[in-house]
Amino acid sequence: MKILLNKEKNKPLKRIITIIDATEKFKQLIAIRTKVDKAAYAMYVRMAIQMDTYGVPLEILLEALDGLKQEDLMSKNEIKKLRLMPDMLTIYRGTDAGEYPPRISWSLLEGKACIFAHGQMYKAVINKNDVYAYFCDNSDEEEIIAHVTEHYENIL
């Protein structure tokens, strides 16, 4: 990965990841997506999602993910683990009372999602083919990235 990031055309990504405002970070990533290597772009989208998506409009998050496959965003270990999961996944999202519809970051672990529940806790059952990404290698959250538009309920 270091070689990928040191390529001249990918150097703008290093500046973007330091941007504090999450929405601006995603806008800048989207603006240069066709000018950098896809693998480097996907890595930075993953980092940005894992760092902070609070307040980022859903449309911007979906645009940042557009054209990326699970294989672009996930490690080989994460891909293997997701493939071993059942076809239907129960996922949870703890959030504030005003969030509607639910955003894209979910957890396979109800207890972990409860930590983020400040007035609202969503539960959904989705097909694993609808998952943008599954992150577990560098966190204990068992995070699922998915745009859930139906078959969810508030359980809090």
Side-chain angles (χ1 to χ4, degrees):
M1 264 312 154
K2 193 172 188 172
I3 293 171
L4 185 64
L5 293 179
N6 284 333
K7 289 174 78 175
E8 193 61 37
K9 74 184 220 175
N10 294 331
K11 287 187 177 179
L13 288 165
K14 291 181 181 181
R15 182 192 58 76
I16 288 172
I17 207 66
T18 65
I19 296 171
I20 302 295
D21 180 79
T23 299
E24 186 59 28
K25 185 178 300 183
F26 280 98
K27 285 180 179 179
Q28 292 292 320
L29 279 168
I30 292 164
I32 66 165
R33 78 182 305 158
T34 60
K35 299 173 183 144
V36 298
D37 290 322
K38 185 177 183 180
Y41 173 78
M43 183 179 74
Y44 273 76
V45 167
R46 176 189 174 131
M47 287 190 316
I49 287 172
Q50 289 187 292
M51 289 164 83
D52 182 18
T53 61
Y54 187 77
V56 180
L58 180 61
E59 302 77 33
I60 290 175
L61 294 171
L62 294 175
E63 187 176 352
L65 289 165
D66 187 45
L68 296 177
K69 299 176 184 163
Q70 290 177 340
E71 295 80 15
D72 299 326
L73 294 163
M74 298 163 44
S75 71
K76 289 178 183 176
N77 178 55
E78 291 166 335
I79 292 167
K80 181 180 176 184
K81 285 184 173 183
L82 181 62
R83 286 190 179 140
L84 292 173
M85 290 179 193
D87 288 341
M88 300 306 289
L89 303 174
T90 301
I91 57 176
Y92 304 89
R93 176 164 176 77
T95 187
D96 58 49
E99 182 178 287
Y100 178 81
R103 299 185 44 81
I104 65 168
S105 296
W106 297 71
S107 180
L108 289 173
L109 308 172
E110 184 175 6
K112 185 58 89 170
C114 277
I115 295 169
F116 300 99
H118 301 288
Q120 190 157 227
M121 177 87 150
Y122 287 115
K123 176 182 177 181
V125 178
I126 64 168
N127 190 297
K128 72 179 177 185
N129 293 329
D130 295 329
V131 170
Y132 283 104
Y134 164 62
F135 302 144
C136 67
D137 279 355
N138 57 352
S139 98
D140 63 348
E141 190 171 341
E142 303 277 334
E143 186 173 12
I144 295 287
I145 306 302
H147 182 210
V148 179
T149 59
E150 56 186 10
H151 306 298
Y152 62 87
E153 61 180 315
N154 188 344
I155 60 171
L156 189 62

